[in-house]
Amino acid sequence: MPQGSSQPHRVVLVVDENSNPFEMSCAIEIFGLRRPELGRELYDFRLCAAGPRTRMRDGFFTLTGVAGLGAAEEADTLIVPNRPDTGTPRSPRVLDAVRRAHARGARLIGFCSGAFTLAEAGLLDGRRAACHWMWAGAFRARFPRVRLEPDVLFVDDGDILTASGSASALDLGLHVVRRDHGAEVANAVSRRLVFAGHRDGGQRQFVERPVPEVRDESLGPLLAWAQERLGEPLTVTDLAARARVSPATLHRRFRAQLGTTPLAWLTGERVALACRLIERGEERLEVVAARSGLGTAANLRTRLREATGLSPSAYRRRFGPVPGEALKA
């Protein structure tokens, strides 16, 4: 959704029996809160349910006072229900609402076990999807035609997006904000959440290794140091030297703590900086490439298209400064 749209994009979350409260809260935090620091509303957010009373997971509480399923008919983006009892069929009314939303072109999002809802609705056949690693075997057995990617944080398959687990709902939510409003706005939302601004969807859900007796040092100080020097010719060797470890050790720590490689992280940070520079109005590609550490305009074009699917000019048209509209720090 381009910046400057006259009407906020409407996001509707469907809550079903035994839904998880955490993912509901993630959706509210990302899409439902007012953002006075941005000077504009990003989304129009609503909750809806099939009945007037919805018992949440394990009976922790009962949700009342939300809209009926008719609200799903007005959604630009529909977040489908997720719940731990993945073997229990979803409500036919809920599945019908999800199918109708998809048929009229709404974007669909499934957090954690929400992939089961989308697959049960018949919308994931032949498509890529993510779900929690704990349910990967059961998911494959029930939905063999879905191209499950069980070891990633989230999957963006265009008009259907799925997140693997509870915390990755935040990752996917921020990814959606970034896709809709650009890196600058997504970073502002992540700062308010006090959450990592960008974890790529392809990062691993978890690392299969024993917990070490002596915990590795946090990468936080190194990451902060590198983020202040992205325009410099930093290499993985430079990062390892700063951390006073070998490149191999640094690689293991990145895999263990971030689920990615040092080079992939560095490239991702540089692309994110390039996006922010374009959004702030810098039109000279060679300047953006130099200040972000991507080196050349050709490399900038390649990396930006890989990350966003857009050329620099298309990204500028979509997320560049809007006359009369300024992003507040």
Side-chain angles (χ1 to χ4, degrees):
M1 181 178 63
Q3 291 184 357
S5 298
S6 58
Q7 296 296 326
H9 184 99
R10 172 161 288 188
V11 178
V12 177
L13 169 67
V14 183
V15 183
D16 201 5
E17 289 295 318
N18 214 28
S19 284
N20 288 325
F22 181 81
E23 286 82 352
M24 179 181 71
S25 300
C26 289
I28 293 171
E29 283 282 343
I30 296 286
F31 302 110
L33 297 189
R34 298 181 65 85
R35 309 270 175 206
E37 68 274 19
L38 299 181
R40 59 190 169 95
E41 295 301 315
L42 302 183
Y43 299 99
D44 175 6
F45 179 81
R46 299 186 73 183
L47 290 170
C48 75
R53 299 173 61 86
T54 304
R55 182 177 180 271
M56 301 297 289
R57 178 177 180 172
D58 297 330
F60 289 143
F61 59 89
T62 298
L63 189 67
T64 62
V66 301
L69 276 182
E73 306 294 338
E74 303 173 358
D76 300 308
T77 291
L78 188 70
I79 305 176
V80 306
N82 72 305
R83 61 191 197 194
D85 51 335
T86 56
T88 303
R90 267 54 176 174
S91 161
R93 290 183 60 204
V94 169
L95 294 178
D96 286 344
V98 172
R99 294 187 190 104
R100 287 195 302 272
H102 182 258
R104 62 179 172 76
R107 178 171 60 189
L108 302 180
I109 294 177
F111 292 149
C112 195
S113 58
F116 282 82
T117 303
L118 293 165
E120 194 173 339
L123 302 178
L124 288 181
D125 288 354
R127 302 189 63 154
R128 299 165 53 238
C131 79
H132 197 287
W133 60 266
M134 192 169 62
W135 291 313
F139 187 94
R140 281 202 178 101
R142 286 183 60 188
F143 308 110
R145 298 179 63 184
V146 180
R147 294 161 54 196
L148 182 68
E149 298 185 12
D151 196 27
V152 299
L153 292 178
F154 61 83
V155 165
D156 180 344
D157 201 40
D159 60 339
I160 300 182
L161 302 90
T162 46
S164 59
S166 295
S168 59
L170 290 172
D171 291 298
L172 178 54
L174 288 170
H175 170 77
V176 169
V177 174
R178 187 177 304 107
R179 201 173 95 169
D180 289 346
H181 297 281
E184 188 80 5
V185 170
N187 282 349
V189 175
S190 69
R191 283 196 301 271
R192 181 159 166 182
L193 286 168
V194 195
F195 187 76
H198 183 265
R199 289 201 299 170
D200 185 77
Q203 291 187 31
R204 297 180 65 189
Q205 292 184 32
F206 69 104
V207 180
E208 294 187 78
R209 68 181 182 90
V211 176
E213 293 183 7
V214 179
R215 188 172 181 175
D216 287 342
E217 293 182 4
S218 168
L219 288 171
L222 176 64
L223 303 185
W225 177 84
Q227 286 170 331
E228 294 177 355
R229 296 165 175 80
L230 293 175
E232 300 177 11
L234 286 179
T235 65
V236 174
T237 301
D238 295 327
L239 295 179
R242 175 69 182 183
R244 298 181 181 178
V245 297
S246 68
T249 297
L250 185 70
H251 190 279
R252 287 194 297 271
R253 289 187 179 179
F254 265 76
R255 278 294 187 188
Q257 296 183 34
L258 299 181
T260 189
T261 66
L263 181 58
W265 177 85
L266 192 57
T267 300
E269 290 297 310
R270 283 172 165 158
V271 171
L273 176 56
C275 289
R276 295 196 297 273
L277 291 171
I278 294 172
E279 291 171 30
R280 292 170 183 172
E282 179 55 67
E283 297 185 356
R284 297 164 295 175
L285 294 190
E286 65 277 7
V287 173
V288 174
R291 290 181 59 188
S292 64
L294 291 174
T296 65
N299 190 43
L300 168 63
R301 291 189 185 95
T302 298
R303 297 301 184 184
L304 190 65
R305 188 174 291 277
E306 288 174 349
T308 69
L310 300 172
S311 66
S313 58
Y315 191 91
R316 183 183 301 111
R317 285 194 299 270
R318 183 170 182 182
F319 298 118
V322 176
E325 180 179 297
L327 181 68
K328 297 179 181 179

